[in-house]
Amino acid sequence: MSRIHTAALAASAAIAFLVGGWACFAPRSFYDSFPGVLGTWISTDGPFNEHLIRDVGALYLGLGVASVAGLVWRTPALFRALGLAWTVFGALHLGHHVTHLGHQDAADDIAAITSLTIALALGVVLLIPGRDRGRADAAASTDGATGADGAAALDVATPGAADGTSGAPHARTSDPADVGAPPSVPAQPARTTEVTR
């Protein structure tokens, strides 16, 4: 996969471990302080619920671990599956926040919507098909092994040709030392003539 796919998945994993670790292992701090420097987005939206916050943390950690697996195994199918998971989660999460504005300052609403839009965009990037380098490399090597007209790199001389090869096939060579050298002629069995008196 491309570098942009890798970067999007790495960023998604970082978000997952930051949010998930904080919510799962320090739910009260998460409720009181998340996201920290940008304001407080959770405590303004209802009473503290440890169970719910730990569940959200576990969800993020699960996505984070799956994202790390994608970075290790790096298959197009796995990247797309992770893209689907992150996109569905991101779209639903953003959709809720967009339709529930006004319980916090306008600056906090803007910051929350912006950060959730970025998170959703990372998931969408993973859904964009990338160039399969393995197939491209295989195609390039196949093109190099064939001539401009697609013929295989094997010459077959016709019988009685001027080069005296008597129809024996010979492979092309790219060795400069062999350029201009006459092709080897297979040894002919010696003919014997029987003399009768």
Side-chain angles (χ1 to χ4, degrees):
M1 298 300 290
S2 71
R3 289 178 183 171
I4 193 163
H5 288 95
T6 302
L9 192 55
S12 297
I15 291 169
F17 286 118
L18 173 66
V19 176
W22 190 356
C24 194
F25 299 113
R28 185 74 215 197
S29 170
F30 182 84
Y31 174 80
D32 290 336
S33 306
F34 183 83
V37 296
L38 297 175
T40 55
W41 299 349
I42 311 299
S43 60
T44 59
D45 193 22
F48 175 68
N49 184 325
E50 181 179 355
H51 177 190
L52 181 59
I53 291 176
R54 285 187 187 272
D55 282 356
V56 169
L59 165 69
Y60 269 103
L61 289 175
L63 284 170
V65 169
S67 297
V68 170
L71 291 169
V72 171
W73 286 306
R74 301 179 58 78
T75 64
L78 184 53
F79 269 55
R80 291 221 182 94
L82 289 164
L84 281 172
W86 276 110
T87 299
V88 169
F89 172 64
L92 294 173
H93 194 181
L94 176 61
H96 172 80
H97 282 268
V98 167
T99 57
H100 292 83
L101 299 172
H103 63 271
Q104 56 191 7
D105 294 339
D108 286 335
D109 281 339
I110 292 169
I113 298 304
T114 301
S115 65
L116 293 174
T117 301
I118 292 169
L120 172 59
L122 293 173
V124 172
V125 165
L126 295 172
L127 293 175
I128 300 170
R131 180 180 171 203
D132 188 343
R133 289 185 180 179
R135 288 183 188 170
D137 292 344
S141 66
T142 301
D143 290 343
T146 59
D149 61 350
L154 181 67
D155 282 339
V156 177
T158 55
D163 62 2
T165 57
S166 69
H170 63 279
R172 287 184 189 161
T173 179
S174 60
D175 187 353
D178 292 338
V179 174
S184 58
V185 178
Q188 299 277 336
R191 292 185 182 178
T192 58
T193 304
E194 183 179 341
V195 179
T196 56
R197 296 186 182 186

